[in-house]
Structure formats: C-alpha cells, structure tokens
Amino acid sequence: LGHTVVDVSDTAEGAVKIALTKHPDLIIMDIRLKGRMDGVEAATLIRKSVDVPVIFLTAYSGDEILNRASVAEPYGYLLKPVEEQQLASAIRVAMYKHRKDTNRREGFRSFSAILRALPNAVVVTDSTLTVRYMNKRAEELLDIPATRAIKRPVRDIIHLGETVFDRDGVE
C-alpha cells in the first residue's frame, strides 16, 4: 500500500517496545498475541506513552472483546480476513482522524494557555451549563478549586441571586 513497515512483533511486550523506541505513525495490532499481555493491553500502554493511532486487526468480534478493545480507544477495528482495500481505507481514515484529533488537542492547549494568562476570571461551560474550565483568577474569586468545580452545574459555583430584566434587557 506504499507504507513503510518499521517492525513486526508477535508479542505485546515487543509491540510496546517498538512503539516506544521507533515512534511509528500508525500501529496495526492483533488482539491475540504471544506473551503475558494481549493486544488490547499493549495498545492501552502505548496510548499512555505515545500519541499513535492503533487499528485492531483480529479474528475476534464478540461483544466482550469489542468492549475491551474500545477501552484502548482504537482508530479502527478490522476483522480477518481483511481485503487490501479495507485495510487501505482503515489506514486512511485512522491517519486523518488522528491528525484532526491532534490539531484539536493543540488548539485546546493554546486556548487554555490564553485563558490561564488572562487577568480576568474565566469560567467556561458547555451547552448544559456544566463547568468545563476555570482559570486561576476564577478559582480565587469564587473560592473554589477548579478540580471541585469542573463537571458541576455553573449555578452550584456562581450564585447570581435573583435578577429581573425588563423587555429591553435592562435590570
């Protein structure tokens, strides 16, 4: 398919070592491997240390295996036997999705750095008004650490009291 295979391992331990030392752009991992760990455990360990997408290629498709595999956050799951076009498509989609995820994370890190540097208090919520982020100034003013505020309704964190507005939005 035009890709370079950097290495192959039939053990999970070997796959982890390869990922940590060679930093491949993509890993195609079987779930059943020789050794003490299986491919799901190996992929989970790899994802904790190296930002690399994993595609599972396996003969197993039961609910239990699929549920375990999902924990490793794979970018694809192919059942053997796999056709060349299926593999090519899975690789293309995994690489695209990984690139998008990486860009999103980098954007979030930049956004977070800007919010942290602001002198004003900032509390970010989602559409359900659940707190998703607080900068240090907000922690100081609201007298609550972000770790206790995040994932809570904003009304539990910020008490505005009763405000009545007229039709023009004036208090």
Side-chain angles (χ1 to χ4, degrees), residues 20-137:
L20 298 179
T21 58
K22 297 192 177 183
H23 303 282
D25 295 329
L26 174 80
I27 296 172
I28 299 174
M29 177 89 67
D30 200 330
I31 289 180
R32 299 279 173 144
L33 296 169
K34 295 177 185 173
R36 295 175 312 202
M37 292 189 292
D38 66 7
V40 173
E41 293 169 292
T44 302
L45 279 174
I46 290 166
R47 299 259 308 146
K48 288 180 181 177
S49 303
V50 182
D51 184 22
V52 58
V54 174
I55 296 174
F56 285 121
L57 176 63
T58 185
Y60 303 96
S61 64
D63 284 344
E64 181 184 334
I65 296 277
L66 283 169
N67 290 338
R68 283 194 60 241
S70 296
V71 172
E73 299 179 14
Y75 279 73
Y77 194 97
L78 294 171
L79 292 175
K80 295 177 187 178
V82 66
E83 294 182 21
E84 187 175 304
Q85 187 58 41
Q86 289 173 311
L87 181 59
S89 297
I91 290 171
R92 178 186 249 169
V93 168
M95 296 300 290
Y96 175 81
K97 186 175 182 320
H98 182 256
R99 196 168 36 257
K100 287 293 203 182
D101 288 349
T102 300
N103 290 342
R104 192 174 301 117
R105 279 191 307 273
E106 288 172 1
F108 179 77
R109 278 194 281 274
S110 296
F111 182 67
S112 294
I114 291 166
L115 293 180
R116 279 193 304 275
L118 288 175
N120 304 59
V122 177
V123 177
V124 178
T125 68
D126 62 17
S127 61
T128 66
L129 297 179
T130 299
V131 176
R132 294 295 174 205
Y133 175 85
M134 280 177 52
N135 68 0
K136 286 288 184 195
R137 185 66 180 134

Side-chain angles (χ1 to χ4, degrees), residues 123-124 129-136 138-140 142-159:
V123 177
V124 178
L129 297 179
T130 299
V131 176
R132 294 295 174 205
Y133 175 85
M134 280 177 52
N135 68 0
K136 286 288 184 195
E139 287 181 299
E140 293 166 3
L142 298 171
D143 195 30
I144 184 170
T147 53
R148 286 193 35 232
I150 291 175
K151 296 186 180 176
R152 290 181 57 192
V154 72
R155 71 177 175 275
D156 292 354
I157 310 305
I158 302 172
H159 305 284

Side-chain angles (χ1 to χ4, degrees), residues 7-24:
D7 213 333
V8 177
S9 176
D10 62 352
T11 68
E13 293 81 7
V16 171
K17 183 178 179 183
I18 291 166
L20 298 179
T21 58
K22 297 192 177 183
H23 303 282

